[in-house]
Amino acid sequence: MCHGRAAAPSLPPLPPSSWGKLLQRIADLTGSSPAQDLPCPLERKAEPSLDSDSDYGSLESDRDSVLDDPFEEFLCADVMQLIEQSLSEAKRGALRCFKLLIPAELSGQVAEELLRLAASEPCGLRGAVLHLSVEDGKDCKDVDRIVVDSSLVPTFELALVLRMEAGIWSKVQDLLTSGPSFTPGYSQALRLSPRFRIIKRKLYSSNDVLVEEC
């Protein structure tokens, strides 16, 4: 589901097909200053709704781990809330699971990277378009597209690729999804890895692409 509005025609966003090819190419290769006014409200907001019966925290921004600009921190907290809402909605959509477990440390790491990559942009984080996806082995599932501030022409795109936990957890997951009581095609619980990939592309510089493995 796409929740962001289309950018102004003067700077068209990267077409979905081209963006998907870029993500696949990077996956093959790797193996696997802010505005003075308060930022405009985001297009949608939601209260945290992740599962509370686990040792995993919500995706609310960790203020101890992000940069010092109060306006950017405020905006980043809203973006993290939108990411959380998108992941929650994706449980019955792209992810096809009943519960999604998220490492508590993932919040601060993602927020810090978003702020760091936005620091050199003329409009800061307000100029970002965020593409959110979840990688499960060789399969990369699109979750959402978030336009941070629809009143601005975007200046850069970020692709945030979260990863499913591998190893022993995948074997446990096979046990959790077996038996007649489970809905075919759905997982009882999925767990995200604390590792992720984030890709930055400047819309005013077609050759400038930055890949960060975290």
Side-chain angles (χ1 to χ4, degrees), residues 144-199:
D144 203 355
R145 176 180 179 272
I146 299 171
V147 179
V148 176
D149 189 342
S150 60
S151 69
L152 296 179
V153 176
T155 62
F156 68 109
E157 288 184 317
L158 294 172
L160 175 59
V161 184
L162 304 177
R163 294 170 172 170
M164 290 296 181
E165 190 71 87
I168 187 63
W169 174 257
S170 62
K171 297 180 180 179
V172 173
Q173 176 60 30
D174 291 339
L175 296 175
L176 292 176
T177 56
S178 62
S181 61
F182 297 105
T183 304
Y186 273 75
S187 299
Q188 183 69 9
L190 294 177
R191 177 176 176 177
L192 291 180
S193 167
R195 299 184 60 82
F196 61 93
R197 180 187 305 121
I198 189 164
I199 305 163

Side-chain angles (χ1 to χ4, degrees), residues 10-82:
S10 58
L11 271 175
L14 188 67
S17 60
S18 298
W19 190 259
K21 291 179 181 178
L22 176 61
L23 287 176
Q24 183 60 48
R25 182 179 178 186
I26 291 172
D28 292 339
L29 291 175
T30 58
S32 46
S33 308
Q36 297 300 316
D37 298 330
L38 283 173
C40 297
L42 297 177
E43 295 179 59
R44 59 184 178 90
K45 297 181 181 180
E47 294 300 323
S49 58
L50 292 181
D51 307 293
S52 58
D53 57 344
S54 70
D55 295 332
Y56 290 74
S58 72
L59 282 179
E60 186 177 353
S61 177
D62 182 355
R63 293 182 178 274
D64 292 332
S65 63
V66 295
L67 303 181
D68 295 330
D69 189 311
F71 298 132
E72 287 289 271
E73 289 186 18
F74 173 83
L75 186 58
C76 188
D78 277 347
V79 172
M80 297 303 293
Q81 194 174 51
L82 290 182

